[in-house]
Amino acid sequence: MSITDILSPSDIAAALRDCQAPDSFSPKKFFQISGMSKKSSSQLKEIFRILDNDQSGFIEEDELKYFLQRFECGARVLTTSETKTLLAAADHDGDGKIGAEGIN
């Protein structure tokens, strides 16, 4: 399954355009523009599975910097501060990684 089976390619493109400049990525805004904030729990779990590059069941900080590239291979890498902001927003138990519940 591809992420475009769940999210509209045009919504993904709009979300990526919105955060092209370094340090312009906002997790909440990206989730809204991409349509992720409107998806069901099961759809979000499928998106998580796609984003979990090593299929460990968690998205670790080193995977997060490539977050945008999981939506489009030519997208930019997140900056260190953006990566830390995304991790802080979704790491509900403070273990330094995001579980599937973190993207709800």
Side-chain angles (χ1 to χ4, degrees), residues 2-23:
S2 166
I3 203 143
T4 56
D5 292 331
I6 304 166
L7 300 173
S8 155
S10 61
D11 288 345
I12 291 170
L16 291 171
R17 272 193 310 276
D18 185 71
C19 62
Q20 282 181 333
D23 292 317

Side-chain angles (χ1 to χ4, degrees), residues 15-95:
L16 291 171
R17 272 193 310 276
D18 185 71
C19 62
Q20 282 181 333
D23 292 317
S24 65
F25 176 78
S26 162
K28 184 176 182 177
K29 193 171 182 185
F30 185 88
F31 283 33
Q32 289 171 339
I33 295 171
S34 69
M36 288 176 64
S37 61
K38 297 177 185 171
K39 296 302 174 186
S40 70
S41 180
S42 63
Q43 288 171 311
L44 288 173
K45 285 180 181 172
E46 186 58 31
I47 291 169
F48 179 88
R49 190 191 65 70
I50 294 166
L51 296 175
D52 180 14
N53 197 40
D54 64 4
Q55 299 300 299
S56 66
F58 297 96
I59 301 174
E60 294 86 7
E61 188 171 347
D62 61 328
E63 288 177 291
L64 279 180
K65 64 183 164 187
Y66 302 106
F67 178 81
L68 298 177
Q69 293 180 351
R70 302 300 290 161
F71 291 87
E72 181 181 277
C73 64
R76 71 177 180 88
V77 174
L78 292 178
T79 66
T80 300
S81 64
E82 290 171 321
T83 301
K84 293 196 180 301
T85 298
L86 179 53
L87 182 62
D91 179 15
H92 299 299
D93 61 6
D95 65 355

